[in-house]
Each structure stands twice: as structure tokens, then as C-alpha cells.
Amino acid sequence: LYLISDVLVTDYSSVFFDFANLNRPMIFYMYDRELYQGTLRDFYLDLKDIPGPIIEDECKLIEALRNIDEIACKYQEKIKQFSSVYNYLDDGHATERTIKELMNNENNK
């Protein structure tokens, strides 16, 4: 589904780590952020590092989706930076590296 999606709208889900590889815009719809952060739990990342706008209101979410091209431009560099930190091994050669590592370990026994 990621491949056919033009934009990701998520809340606190970790799906944005995978979606960031596509270099497409993301919107973080956190309508209950205050409750979530203050009462239920906290975040693993500093919210300033999130590669997209945080929207807390349904009307603003609709407005953001209408202006998705603007958001895409504004956050393009931040998405790339995010991917370079968290997805740097997703380069199409992960299986190759894993097999080489396994073979090297097997040969060293």
C-alpha cells in the first residue's frame, strides 16, 4: 500500500519509518497529543525531528491534504535527513549483506 500512496497520514504509528524511504509527504494527525504525551506515554523521538507537520485538528488536516504539494516541498529535505539516519541500510543490498555475513560466520567455524 505504501507504493501506491501519495501521502501518509498517521498518528503515533512507526509506519512513517518505512514510508520515509519513498520520499513522499507525511502528515502526523495527533488530535489527542496532549493526552497521549502527558498521560498515556511519551514519544521515542523528539517531535521536532518528525518529518512532517503535526496536525491536531480535523479542519487543519483537510487543509493540509489540500495543500499537500506545499507540504511536500517544505518537508522534502527533512524526510531525506530522517531516512539517512533511520533507513541508511535500506539500499537494496540488505539481503546480500546478510548472506555474506552468514557465509563468513559459517566459514569461520
Side-chain angles (χ1 to χ4, degrees):
L1 290 178
Y2 295 156
L3 294 175
I4 62 170
S5 300
D6 295 323
V7 62
L8 174 71
V9 177
T10 185
D11 53 4
Y12 313 104
S13 174
S14 63
V15 298
F16 69 95
F17 284 93
D18 297 321
F19 194 81
N21 281 324
L22 299 174
N23 274 334
R24 296 182 189 157
M26 295 175 263
I27 297 173
F28 296 84
Y29 183 44
M30 299 182 181
Y31 60 91
D32 61 346
R33 179 172 78 163
E34 203 170 298
L35 172 67
Y36 187 88
Q37 189 171 16
T39 307
L40 299 177
R41 59 188 294 187
D42 207 350
F43 300 103
Y44 295 113
L45 298 175
D46 189 328
L47 292 182
K48 70 175 176 40
D49 297 329
I50 299 293
I54 296 172
I55 307 291
E56 296 180 2
D57 170 280
E58 188 175 324
C59 290
K60 290 181 181 172
L61 174 61
I62 293 167
E63 182 182 326
L65 288 169
R66 286 184 176 140
N67 297 308
I68 199 61
D69 290 338
E70 233 175 82
I71 289 172
C73 282
K74 182 176 180 180
Y75 286 91
Q76 184 177 22
E77 191 56 39
K78 197 164 191 176
I79 293 169
K80 286 180 184 179
Q81 290 171 352
F82 182 86
S83 283
S84 72
V85 171
Y86 293 103
N87 298 325
Y88 64 94
L89 293 174
D90 291 346
D91 60 1
H93 298 283
T95 301
E96 179 183 344
R97 285 192 300 274
T98 301
I99 297 298
K100 283 181 180 177
E101 185 66 28
L102 290 171
M103 296 303 283
N104 284 338
N105 285 338
E106 189 64 32
N107 290 335
N108 290 330
K109 286 185 177 182

